[in-house]
């Protein structure tokens, strides 16, 4: 059997998308009543759930409190049933810790933390099904949850991944494409200003191609933004109807 | 808007657990249908190649048909083929990369009228696989469903024929939709329960020839062989005698046999075995009457006796006479684990065994060279140049190009009678006192647009193929011999490289690249140019350009020309000296002389004493290539096409060193410079052949020069060992090499990049270029092989009719150039043949020599030493053969029906061959080659006339072919350099 053809001569990817097309995105805000903010997102078959508590007083050691801004605490976990092979530990392993740190960096850049000095914002993200682009799904879910919690942000944070196959940049990689081993870049964007909240890639990619891949990821992130924006507006509209406004 | 579906796959992990994988699958309302009948071409976004509009129906092959009969679908006669994505994916998954790439190339090739329809991504064509449905059934169902959709999409205007091997599918779908026909790939023969699968030109109605009422072999036999296929049948077929046709395959690299293997051949363990199937390539088959015997299981079937070493294909045939005595192409379909032989089907007849045309066709097939005449579509792209409607320089081009017609004295120097002149030279003094040297190359890329039909064809051919008696051009003759040929006195487009040189030191100050218009003033030939260079103006009468001038202007022009040639030579000497100073060696000089013996076909073309003007032209071309290489590399560091010649491995030189030591010479192989020097010194005054053989060995030790893409190599590896240049490419022969066309395009792109203009052409990316380089290298190798094989063929045909016992010409002088355990390798200078002679024959007898030198076979033993081999008979007589000994050999032909014939050498005396014309050896050897080709061609013609066999042979005059073979020395050198890289050492099976 020949290896999988990630991009056919006709320009189709394995799942039938073209190079720049995103997977189907569905999202909902306010899925939990007891949390300050919560959201659920499906990006293709990648499903993630985010809850936000805060801003509240620092829990635990007071020493951690920052005098000038809020502490953003992120925790990432992925369900044991989220991948093809069952996982042992849902959280606390190396990968989860790393992901938590990345999320924290992303949201420290986006949330206006200086408005809540000496307080804490908790963001918990759980991946229910991992089918590629978990980081992007987590960021997008967390953005919605933060918005749901009403925490002031500079802008949406929209994330998307991009890969590079046959001199073409592919947006929003699925698990099959990730597993093929090519370079993968994750990007979190503040769409209004075009600033990058986070950019991460740990594979080798020729410098000449970087721009192309970045461009593809940024465009995809902007597309994600339009979708998330629609979700938020829909949610607000529903909420206002419920409140009888 | 995309629709999301999910596909659930159940996979088994290595541990044996079942893994449930859910994959997304996105459907879209429109995928490109690539049909000219499409009602909404805008929504379909048909941007690729379209199906042609003049077909009567579209054909959709079922997945199984695509898998097994791709060769048939490749025939250009079959038009309007739609490959469904489902079918292509099956090929990819089940047949592997090789087959899939073949299919991809077919789809990419603009010349083939076939497209891919991505049915699985089309909302209405996609059918999910149902629970419990087998994969095969689902694939057929999908393809049929897509066919129906396609039919309706084209508004029911084009009937669609789906061909399948699945009987059930025919029954189920055959009459389901009007306009979509499902027919069998097999056409049932009259009344027999068994189907002979005959695939005829599907839609020309030819399969009606197999109508049950009149079904007979005669009908089939009348069909053109290419359109007539039979596919294996499992069980009886008793209408006609059918037979298992035995095919053998030969491993590409070695030609060792098995049990019936010649005892001469060593390494029986290398005999091919079935496991290496993938590495076999179809060669030729044999079918022998006397070998046909009754098969017990199938009394009606003939079965040819097999050679155990050969991999055989079981083919069922109903006309024995149809393929007997012919060389045919066969495709292997499958190999059952219970069978010794693979199953295959017959694709095409090449020609009769032993027939010149048939054998040439075989050589072409073996090297996978396809040289169909240029098609109409390709010729339509050619500019017109007829006497009634002559081609003219267009005003727009005049604007864009630099006009050198008035300002520069441009002339070309080529061999006498050369037609395709692709380079011209100029030199002049500038106003500031500097010199300006110009090399002007025919602007082929102006006429060959990227991705035009002619471009695709040229890319596929990659080079012009020169066989011993004919050539197959890369470009049509309208271009190669006319519009792109820089003939004298006519306006031509050119791509020029011009250097500004210092007046005295000849240092390069400036270089200019660009498109120009030139008018070559003189089309000189080498001898004339040399005479002018020597100041001998008597030659003038031979130059047509001077004929009609009055004395005064003639004298003036003559002096101008002579000055230019003289200046050129000066510059060339200087450039050469500089290259030598950098540690370069005169490798081409070496190789020429070496390769004279090696490549007989060029043998007779080399003037005995190369004129200085040859070197001048060659040096200018090398300079141009070098500077162009630098330029394109600087502009496109990751996607320039260059040529590298890696330094050879020292261990490969050990044989050379040993051989030289035997003669008392020392060869220093540490660098190219020392190698050249020591080779020059290793000259035996009594025997000039020694030096030639040593040089030949040196050449063989070297590695191949190759094209490569700069993006895929480190910069240190760009070096060209032979020419001692850091960067080198091929730029100067775009008429006969595709690599040069690419380089021209790169250069043009580099120029427009410098001018900050928008780049017109899409350049190849590094990856594509790398692939293309591989292809061109491959084709070059094929060209060399085919050239060598055709030469061997001619040699064999030459000696075939001669009686080796009586004919004087079959006895010749030979030189031993290598020792083996059971024989020696001989070189025969007179014919340029290299081959093995055995000192021990099949019966185990060894050679011994009577006092007067004649040899006989006696029982005894052989003893091999480093530089000699001794044969001792039981009677105590012994004879020793040293390296470089001269012996007398008899040349005969070993006929073989399966392989091509081979030359056989037999030592008949250990004394040098003495004949009245010994003195004239070189003379005769130079003449002989062309005579040989001529004689064989003539005898073939005569035989054909005598038999009045109507074979469609292109009997073109050898002289005509000859014309362009006499190219400039530079090209000759280039070619020889290519050839030198050909590994010929193991071609004689010793």
């Amino acid at each position: 059997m020949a290896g999988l053809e990630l991009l056919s001569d006709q320009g189709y990817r394995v799942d039938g998308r073209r190079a720049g097309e995103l997977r189907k995105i569905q999202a909902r805000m306010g899925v939990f009543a007891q949390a300050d903010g919560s959201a659920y997102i499906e990006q293709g078959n990648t499903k993630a759930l985010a809850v936000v508590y805060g801003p509240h007083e620092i829990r635990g050691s007071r020493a951690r409190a920052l005098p000038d801004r809020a502490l953003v605490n992120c925790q990432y976990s992925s369900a044991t049933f989220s991948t093809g092979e069952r996982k042992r530990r849902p959280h606390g392993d190396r990968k989860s810790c790393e992901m938590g740190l990345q999320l924290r960096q992303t949201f420290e850049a986006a949330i206006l933390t200086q408005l809540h000095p000496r307080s804490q914002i908790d963001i918990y993200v759980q991946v229910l099904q991992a089918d590629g682009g978990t980081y992007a799904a987590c960021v997008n879910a967390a953005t919605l949850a933060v918005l749901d919690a009403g925490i002031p942000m500079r802008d949406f944070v929209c994330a998307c991944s991009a890969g590079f196959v046959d001199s073409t940049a592919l947006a929003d990689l699925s698990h099959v494409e990730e597993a093929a081993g090519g370079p993968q870049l994750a990007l979190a964007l503040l769409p209004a200003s075009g600033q990058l909240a986070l950019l991460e890639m740990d594979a080798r990619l020729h410098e000449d191609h970087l721009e192309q891949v970045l461009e593809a990821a940024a465009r995809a992130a902007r597309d994600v933004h339009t979708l998330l924006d629609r979700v938020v507006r829909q949610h607000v509209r529903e909420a206002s109807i419920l409140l009888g406004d | 808007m995309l629709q999301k579906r999910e596909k659930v796959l159940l996979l088994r992990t290595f541990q044996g657990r079942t893994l449930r994988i859910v994959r997304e699958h996105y459907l879209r309302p429109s995928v490109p249908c690539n049909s000219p009948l499409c009602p909404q071409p805008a929504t379909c976004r048909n941007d690729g190649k379209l199906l042609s509009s003049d077909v009567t129906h579209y054909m959709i092959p079922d997945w199984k048909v695509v898998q097994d009969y791709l060769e048939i679908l490749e025939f250009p006669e079959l038009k309007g083929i739609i490959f469904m994505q489902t079918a292509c994916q099956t090929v990819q998954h089940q047949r592997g990369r090789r087959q899939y790439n073949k299919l991809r190339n077919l789809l990419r090739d603009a010349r083939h009228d076939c497209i891919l329809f991505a049915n699985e991504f089309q909302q209405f064509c996609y059918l999910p696989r149902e629970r419990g449905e087998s994969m095969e059934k689902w694939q057929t169902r999908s393809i049929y469903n897509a066919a129906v959709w396609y039919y309706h999409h084209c508004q029911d205007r084009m009937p669609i024929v789906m061909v399948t091997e699945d009987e059930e599918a025919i029954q189920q779908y055959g009459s389901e939709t009007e306009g979509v026909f499902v027919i069998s790939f097999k056409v049932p023969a009259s009344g027999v329960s068994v189907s002979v699968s005959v695939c005829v030109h599907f839609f020309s109605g030819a399969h009606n020839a197999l109508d049950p009422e009149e079904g007979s072999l005669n009908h089939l036999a009348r069909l053109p062989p290419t359109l007539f296929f039979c596919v294996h049948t499992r069980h009886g077929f008793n209408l006609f005698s059918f037979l298992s046709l035995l095919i053998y395959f030969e491993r590409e690299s070695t030609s060792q046999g098995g049990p019936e293997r010649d005892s001469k051949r060593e390494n029986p363990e290398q005999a091919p075995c079935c496991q290496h199937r993938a590495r076999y390539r179809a060669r030729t088959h044999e079918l022998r009457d006397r070998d046909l015997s009754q098969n017990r299981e199938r009394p009606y079937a003939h079965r040819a006796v097999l050679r155990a070493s050969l991999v055989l294909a079981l083919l069922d045939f109903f006309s024995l006479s149809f393929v007997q005595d012919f060389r045919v192409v066969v495709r292997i379909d499958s190999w059952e684990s219970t069978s010794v032989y693979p199953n295959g089907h017959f694709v095409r007849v090449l020609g009769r065994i032993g027939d010149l045309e048939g054998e040439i066709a075989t050589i072409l097939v073996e090297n996978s060279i396809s040289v169909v005449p240029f098609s109409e579509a390709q010729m339509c792209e050619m500019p017109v140049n007829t006497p009634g409607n002559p081609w003219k320089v267009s005003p727009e081009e005049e604007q864009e190009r630099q006009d050198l017609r008035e300002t520069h004295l441009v002339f070309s120097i080529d061999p006498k009678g050369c037609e395709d002149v692709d380079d011209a030279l100029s030199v002049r003094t500038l106003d500031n006192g500097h010199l300006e040297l110009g090399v002007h190359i025919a602007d082929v890329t102006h006429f060959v647009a990227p991705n035009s039909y002619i471009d695709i064809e040229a890319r596929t051919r990659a080079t012009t193929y020169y066989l011993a008696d004919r050539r197959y051009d890369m470009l049509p003759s309208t271009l190669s011999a006319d519009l792109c040929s820089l003939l004298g006195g006519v306006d031509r487009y050119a791509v020029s490289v011009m250097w500004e040189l210092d007046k005295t030191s000849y240092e390069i100050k400036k270089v200019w690249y660009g498109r120009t218009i030139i008018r070559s003033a003189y089309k000189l030939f080498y001898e004339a140019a040399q005479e002018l260079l020597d100041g001998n103006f008597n030659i003038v009468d031979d130059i047509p350009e001077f004929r009609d001038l009055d004395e005064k202007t003639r004298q003036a022009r003559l002096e101008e020309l002579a000055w230019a040639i003289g200046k050129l030579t000066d510059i060339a000497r200087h450039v050469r000296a500089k290259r030598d100073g950098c540690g370069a060696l005169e490798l081409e000089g070496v190789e020429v002389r070496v390769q004279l013996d090696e490549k007989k076909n060029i043998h007779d073309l080399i003037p005995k004493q190369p004129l200085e003007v040859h070197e001048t032209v060659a040096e200018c071309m090398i300079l141009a290539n070098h500077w162009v290489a630098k330029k394109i590399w600087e502009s496109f560091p990751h996607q320039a096409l260059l040529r590298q010649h890696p330094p050879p491995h020292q261990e490969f030189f050990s044989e050379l060193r040993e051989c030289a030591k035997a003669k008392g010479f020392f060869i220093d192989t540490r660098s190219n410079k020392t190698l050249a020097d020591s080779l020059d010194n290793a000259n035996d005054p009594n025997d000039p052949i020694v030096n030639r053989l040593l040089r030949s060995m040196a050449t063989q030790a070297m590695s191949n020069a190759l094209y490569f893409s700069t993006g895929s190599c480190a910069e240190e590896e760009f070096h060209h060992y032979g020419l001692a240049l850091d960067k080198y490419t091929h730029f100067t022969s775009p008429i006969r090499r595709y690599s040069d066309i690419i380089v021209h395009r790169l250069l043009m792109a580099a120029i427009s990049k410098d001018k900050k203009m928008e780049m017109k052409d899409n350049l190849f990316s590094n990856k594509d270029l790398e692939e293309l380089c591989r292809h061109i290298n491959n084709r070059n190798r094929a060209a060399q092989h085919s050239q060598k094989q055709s030469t061997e063929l001619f040699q064999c045909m030459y000696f075939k009719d001669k009686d080796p016992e009586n004919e004087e010409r079959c006895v010749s002088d030979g030189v031993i150039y290598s020792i083996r355990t059971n024989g020696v390798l001989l070189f025969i200078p007179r014919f340029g043949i290299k081959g093995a002679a055995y000192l021990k024959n099949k019966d185990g007898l060894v050679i011994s020599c009577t006092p007067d030198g004649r040899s006989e076979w006696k029982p005894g033993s052989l003893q091999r030493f480093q530089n000699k081999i001794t044969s001792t008979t039981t009677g105590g007589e012994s004879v020793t053969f040293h390296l470089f000994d001269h012996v007398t050999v008899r040349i005969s032909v070993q006929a073989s029906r399966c392989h091509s014939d081979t030359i056989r050498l037999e030592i008949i005396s250990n004394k040098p061959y003495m004949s009245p014309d010994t003195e004239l050896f070189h003379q005769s050897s130079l003449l002989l080659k062309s005579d040989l080709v001529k004689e064989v061609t003539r005898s073939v013609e005569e035989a054909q006339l005598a038999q009045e066999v109507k074979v469609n042979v292109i009997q073109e005059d050898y002289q005509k072919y000859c014309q362009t073979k006499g190219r400039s020395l530079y090209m000759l050198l280039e070619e020889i350099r290519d050839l030198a890289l050909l590994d010929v050492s193991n071609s004689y099976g010793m």
Side-chain angles (χ1 to χ4, degrees), chain B residues 274-335:
Chain B
C274 304
Q275 281 79 359
H276 291 121
R277 250 186 297 169
R279 299 192 44 203
Y280 290 82
R281 82 192 146 134
R283 210 179 159 200
T284 43
H285 87 288
E286 69 160 333
L287 227 168
R288 284 178 289 192
D289 275 321
R290 59 190 167 83
D291 289 341
L292 293 172
S293 61
Q294 293 290 303
N295 183 330
R296 254 179 295 131
E297 290 153 31
R298 290 185 284 181
Y300 41 79
H302 296 287
R303 184 167 163 269
V305 172
L306 333 167
R307 307 172 112 214
S309 65
L310 310 174
V311 182
L312 303 153
L314 209 53
L315 280 176
D316 296 331
F317 252 90
F318 35 97
S319 169
L320 169 63
S321 58
F322 189 72
V323 287
Q324 193 182 338
D325 288 331
F326 284 93
R327 296 209 189 272
V328 302
V329 178
V330 167
R331 156 82 196 276
I332 297 304
D333 297 316
S334 59
W335 204 328

Side-chain angles (χ1 to χ4, degrees), chain B residues 255-281:
Chain B
S255 54
Q256 273 88 0
E260 215 200 276
R261 174 178 54 93
D262 292 346
S263 59
K264 303 167 185 175
R265 291 181 174 159
E266 301 174 351
N267 300 338
E269 67 276 9
Q270 275 190 25
C273 54
C274 304
Q275 281 79 359
H276 291 121
R277 250 186 297 169
R279 299 192 44 203
Y280 290 82
R281 82 192 146 134

Side-chain angles (χ1 to χ4, degrees), chain A residues 1-5 7-10 12-18 21-26 42-47 83-86 129 131 166-167 174 176 206 208, chain B residues 1-4 6-7 13 15 17 19-20 22-28 30-32 45 85 89 92-94 96-97 100 104-105 107-108 116 118 121 638 765 767:
Chain A
M1 175 180 152
L4 261 182
E5 195 182 34
L7 188 68
S8 74
D9 290 342
Q10 285 71 33
Y12 293 110
R13 289 155 71 172
V14 181
D15 52 10
R17 287 182 289 156
R18 287 183 181 278
E21 287 172 349
L22 295 177
R23 291 178 290 175
K24 192 175 181 68
I25 293 185
Q26 279 177 312
E42 279 185 19
Q43 273 188 282
N45 281 339
T46 303
K47 291 161 193 167
T83 49
E85 304 240 4
R86 208 171 172 81
Q129 188 174 346
D131 189 39
D166 290 344
S167 3
S174 70
V176 182
H206 197 283
D208 292 2
Chain B
M1 195 61 204
L2 299 186
Q3 272 189 14
K4 186 183 149 185
E6 287 189 346
K7 280 205 281 195
T13 58
Q15 286 92 26
R17 275 179 293 166
L19 201 63
R20 186 168 179 275
V22 185
R23 278 194 193 152
E24 291 167 273
H25 191 83
Y26 287 93
L27 304 178
R28 55 186 73 233
S30 63
V31 298
R45 289 206 281 172
Q85 186 195 6
Q89 277 176 357
Q92 189 189 4
H93 289 306
Q94 297 185 359
R97 176 150 298 182
Y100 181 62
R104 269 172 69 182
N105 289 337
L107 286 164
R108 269 189 217 154
L116 181 130
F121 298 144
H638 300 300
S765 69
K767 200 177 154 219

Side-chain angles (χ1 to χ4, degrees), chain B residues 957-975:
Chain B
D957 190 3
Y958 175 63
Q959 285 307 324
K960 194 173 159 195
Y961 286 118
C962 226
Q963 282 175 337
T964 45
K965 293 206 87 184
R967 281 146 291 152
S968 71
L969 179 75
Y970 168 70
M971 282 177 236
L972 203 63
L973 297 180
E974 281 299 314
E975 189 160 296

Side-chain angles (χ1 to χ4, degrees), chain B residues 126-285:
Chain B
Y126 173 68
L127 293 175
R129 194 169 149 198
E130 278 162 15
R131 213 160 240 289
E133 189 181 28
S134 75
M135 196 71 179
E136 288 79 16
K137 280 269 171 290
W138 171 73
Q139 283 159 348
T140 309
R141 191 162 66 97
S142 293
I143 292 175
Y144 179 73
N145 186 47
V148 173
W149 181 87
Y150 203 95
Y151 176 66
H152 294 314
H153 178 71
C154 296
Q155 297 176 319
D156 303 0
R157 280 185 291 171
M158 185 63 84
I160 284 183
V161 177
M162 174 172 161
V163 284
T164 178
E165 278 210 297
D166 185 356
E167 293 296 332
E168 270 180 54
I170 297 173
Q171 280 178 7
Q172 192 182 344
Y173 303 122
S175 50
E176 204 180 277
T177 320
E178 201 182 332
V180 182
F181 306 97
V182 182
I183 62 159
S184 171
F185 211 57
K186 305 172 175 179
V187 180
S190 63
V192 194
S193 57
V194 187
S195 59
V196 176
S197 0
V198 177
C199 151
V200 216
H201 191 232
F202 298 93
F203 313 113
S204 61
H207 64 259
N208 295 339
L210 274 179
D211 218 59
E213 279 79 42
E214 45 176 326
S216 75
L217 185 60
N218 299 340
H219 280 90
L220 281 176
R222 266 190 265 129
L223 294 173
T226 44
L227 303 179
F228 157 46
F229 314 97
C230 15
V231 203
H232 55 277
T233 53
R234 282 286 171 292
H235 307 289
F237 175 72
N238 52 11
L239 246 190
F240 320 107
S241 62
F242 91 12
L243 82 160
S244 316
L245 179 65
L246 306 169
I247 315 296
Y248 80 82
F249 283 77
E250 198 177 38
R251 200 150 74 185
E252 214 157 354
S253 48
T254 56
S255 54
Q256 273 88 0
E260 215 200 276
R261 174 178 54 93
D262 292 346
S263 59
K264 303 167 185 175
R265 291 181 174 159
E266 301 174 351
N267 300 338
E269 67 276 9
Q270 275 190 25
C273 54
C274 304
Q275 281 79 359
H276 291 121
R277 250 186 297 169
R279 299 192 44 203
Y280 290 82
R281 82 192 146 134
R283 210 179 159 200
T284 43
H285 87 288

Side-chain angles (χ1 to χ4, degrees), chain B residues 905-917:
Chain B
L905 303 177
E906 202 183 340
I907 297 178
I908 53 171
S909 162
N910 63 350
K911 298 270 175 354
Y913 175 62
M914 283 303 176
S915 74
D917 59 348

